């Protein structure tokens, strides 16, 4: 079974440009999460989709970030315009609630974003 | 904020057991203890979780104290590839899926 995949693995852009990150969850997983780690900080939650609906977007830093999950499959996270402080590693995770009402989140390898 | 406290770093000799402690004195009755690890430059990797009973899987064992205020992750025979940052996370068991709140974790170094 394929795991969570993310594209691209690395992205280097200039301040003011736009970047779109993509996440493909594990097939059949309704839950999709975005997290990020900025330099020297802890991994922080950004938002959570259940299928195509945003369940919790309390971690989104500002309106320069737009996440979508059309059709409830893959998700994109767009940063427009990018700022220097957006640099970091963006992780995606997916999960499915089991019969025990628990969901274990499985993470992708991350996208390293560098804004110059 | 993370609801757990872990040592900043630990060392372990290759082949020996690595015992990673975690304090979660404010844990609620419906909260599970999860362990993840992050090997350098990779995404966090799920290891194990438990509620109150000890748990074991192919990766590790989780020992939770009777009062549930602390737990220990045990890697029975640590290898160099187990060098990573280990995160202890508490999260609710009901009410739908919940985000993970990562703390600083414990940097485990396995030495040859």
């Amino acid at each position: 079974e394929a795991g969570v995949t993310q594209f691209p693995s690395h992205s280097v852009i200039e301040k003011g440009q736009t970047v779109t990150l993509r996440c493909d969850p594990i097939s059949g997983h309704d839950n999709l999460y975005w997290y990020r780690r900025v330099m020297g900080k802890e991994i922080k939650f950004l938002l959570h989709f259940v299928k195509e609906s945003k369940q919790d977007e309390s971690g989104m830093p500002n309106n320069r970030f737009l996440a979508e999950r059309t059709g409830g499959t893959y998700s994109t996270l767009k940063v427009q315009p990018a700022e220097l402080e957006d640099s970091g590693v963006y992780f995606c995770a997916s999960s499915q609630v089991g019969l025990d009402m628990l969901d274990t989140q499985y993470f992708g390898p991350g996208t390293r974003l560098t804004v110059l | 904020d993370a609801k757990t406290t872990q040592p900043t770093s630990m060392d372990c000799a290759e082949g020996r057991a690595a015992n990673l402690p975690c304090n979660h004195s404010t844990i609620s009755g419906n909260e599970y203890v999860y362990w993840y690890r992050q090997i350098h430059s990779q995404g966090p990797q799920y290891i194990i979780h438990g509620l109150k009973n000890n748990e074991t899987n192919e990766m590790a064992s989780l020992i939770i104290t009777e009062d549930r205020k602390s737990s220990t992750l045990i890697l029975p025979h640590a290898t160099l590839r187990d060098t990573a940052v280990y995160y202890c996370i508490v999260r609710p068991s009901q009410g739908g899926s919940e985000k993970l709140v990562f703390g600083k974790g414990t940097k485990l170094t396995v030495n040859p």
Side-chain angles (χ1 to χ4, degrees), chain B residues 12-18 75-82 109-112:
Chain B
C12 176
E14 187 178 20
R16 303 296 293 268
L75 307 179
H77 305 287
T79 70
L80 299 180
R81 289 176 295 181
D82 292 321
T109 303
V110 181
N111 300 304

Side-chain angles (χ1 to χ4, degrees), chain B residues 66-102:
Chain B
E66 193 169 343
D67 63 7
R68 302 208 324 120
K69 293 185 176 181
S70 66
S71 60
T72 300
L73 178 74
I74 301 173
L75 307 179
H77 305 287
T79 70
L80 299 180
R81 289 176 295 181
D82 292 321
T83 292
V85 179
Y86 287 77
Y87 298 97
C88 170
I89 300 169
V90 297
R91 63 192 294 245
S93 62
Q94 300 294 333
S97 304
E98 295 285 339
K99 63 188 177 188
L100 295 172
V101 179
F102 288 84

